[in-house]
Amino acid sequence: MSSHDKEKIPSHLAIIMDGNGRWAKRRGLPRVEGHRVGMEKIKDMVDICRKKGVKVLTLYAFSKQNWNRPRREVDFLMRRFEDYLDREGENLVKENIRFRVIGRIEELPLSLRKKIEKTMKMTEKNEGFFLNLAINYGGQEEIVDAVRKLSMMVKEGKISPQDIEVDLFKKYLYTEDLPYPDLLIRTGGELRISNFLLFQIAYTEFWFTPVFWPDFNEQHLDEALRDFSRRERRFGAIKGE
C-alpha cells in the first residue's frame, strides 16, 4: 500500500465472519470444522490488523439468532470460545491488547462467562489494541438494552428525556467509549448486515466479498483497505467542503 493509502487506514474495523459452514461443506467436512478453522483465523487477523495500523477490531462471532442452529454446532462454538480464551488470554496481556465481549454475556454458559470476565479483567488496562468479540450479540438488542438503562435513569430522576442525545446514547451501547467503525467487511458473499452494530454503522463504509472467512487473508484485507482509501467520507456534508 502507498504512503497515501496508509494515511487512510480505518481506525476501527468491523468484520462479519461469514461462510464457515459453507467452506466446510464444499470440502465434504462437517460444519464444525469450518468453525474450528474460522476461530483459528482470529489471532492471524489481529496480528495483521495491528501491523496495518488498525486500532480497534470488532468481530461478529455469534449472534442472538445463532442459538437456533443445531445443538451440536452451538455447543462446539461455545467450547471453541473457551479454548480461545484459555489459549490466548496470557498472550493478550503480553501483547497489550484489551479484550472485550459485546453482547448479552449474562445469557452465556457459566463456564464461558467466567472466562470472558476473567480475560476482560486481565486486559482492562491494555491500550495498544482493542479486540471486541460479538458473542450472543444483536444490534437491535443492544439498542433495547441502552434504552432500558436510560429509561431507568429518567425514572430515577438522574436525567430528563430532553438530555437524551446521540452522544449520551452512545455511552450506553456495548461499545460505549470506542469510536464508530470506519469500515465494515462481510465475508461469505451475503449482502446484508444481519443485525450487527446497527446504531454504530450510520456512516460506516461497507465492503463485501464472496471469500469465505476461513480463506480470508492479508491479501483480501489489503484489497478492502485499498478500496477504503479511495473513498471520500463526507458524513452528510457536500463534496469539497
Side-chain angles (χ1 to χ4, degrees):
M1 298 180 71
S2 70
S3 59
H4 174 70
D5 291 335
K6 290 180 180 178
E7 293 174 0
K8 298 185 71 174
I9 291 292
S11 176
H12 185 172
L13 173 64
I15 303 179
I16 300 175
M17 306 182 295
D18 195 21
N20 293 336
R22 284 172 288 156
W23 179 90
K25 184 176 180 181
R26 288 191 179 183
R27 288 161 175 76
L29 301 170
R31 285 177 56 86
V32 294
E33 180 62 15
H35 293 306
R36 185 191 67 77
V37 175
M39 285 293 295
E40 295 295 329
K41 297 286 292 189
I42 292 178
K43 184 180 188 304
D44 291 341
M45 193 52 53
V46 169
D47 292 342
I48 292 168
C49 285
R50 294 178 72 198
K51 180 176 69 174
K52 302 290 181 186
V54 174
K55 302 299 183 184
V56 182
L57 177 63
T58 299
L59 301 174
Y60 203 5
F62 189 86
S63 76
K64 283 285 294 180
Q65 290 67 41
N66 285 158
W67 294 106
N68 295 321
R69 294 187 176 187
R71 179 63 180 270
R72 177 172 177 268
E73 183 174 335
V74 171
D75 289 345
F76 179 86
L77 283 166
M78 294 300 117
R79 290 195 300 272
R80 293 306 299 174
F81 292 140
E82 290 195 41
D83 291 344
Y84 173 81
L85 295 175
D86 288 338
R87 186 177 65 251
E88 293 298 324
E90 293 297 333
N91 187 58
L92 292 170
V93 175
K94 183 175 68 174
E95 296 295 329
N96 196 24
I97 297 171
R98 183 172 180 179
F99 174 81
R100 179 184 293 169
V101 167
I102 60 172
R104 291 182 173 173
I105 300 174
E106 68 278 4
E107 297 175 356
L108 293 171
L110 180 60
S111 58
L112 174 57
R113 190 163 73 243
K114 287 182 176 180
K115 290 181 180 181
I116 288 171
E117 292 168 351
K118 177 183 177 182
T119 307
M120 291 198 297
K121 181 67 175 177
M122 287 167 55
T123 65
E124 65 181 359
K125 296 187 184 302
N126 293 351
E127 296 183 347
F129 187 84
F130 291 79
L131 172 61
N132 302 309
L133 285 189
I135 303 177
N136 195 32
Y137 174 88
Q140 292 176 331
E141 288 79 7
E142 179 179 22
I143 292 169
V144 167
D145 287 348
V147 169
R148 286 174 175 167
K149 293 174 184 176
L150 287 165
S151 297
M152 185 59 66
M153 292 183 69
V154 171
K155 181 179 179 180
E156 294 173 351
K158 296 178 179 178
I159 61 173
S160 71
Q162 290 73 28
D163 293 327
I164 302 175
E165 300 285 355
V166 171
D167 287 344
L168 178 61
F169 195 90
K170 176 182 182 292
K171 295 178 181 179
Y172 290 88
L173 297 171
Y174 302 151
T175 51
E176 45 183 328
D177 54 336
L178 296 176
Y180 296 140
D182 301 294
L183 174 64
L184 185 149
I185 296 172
R186 179 168 186 152
T187 64
E190 301 292 354
L191 304 178
R192 56 178 177 267
I193 302 305
S194 297
N195 200 21
F196 186 47
L197 301 177
L198 297 181
F199 188 92
Q200 295 92 330
I201 60 172
Y203 288 101
T204 296
E205 300 293 323
F206 297 163
W207 195 81
F208 298 96
T209 175
V211 176
F212 296 139
W213 173 247
D215 289 329
F216 190 79
N217 58 31
E218 185 172 358
Q219 288 69 41
H220 299 124
L221 179 59
D222 279 340
E223 184 181 354
L225 295 180
R226 281 193 295 269
D227 184 74
F228 175 80
S229 73
R230 293 191 291 266
R231 301 186 189 185
E232 182 178 17
R233 304 181 71 201
R234 299 192 297 275
F235 301 95
I238 297 174
K239 184 177 181 180
E241 295 190 355

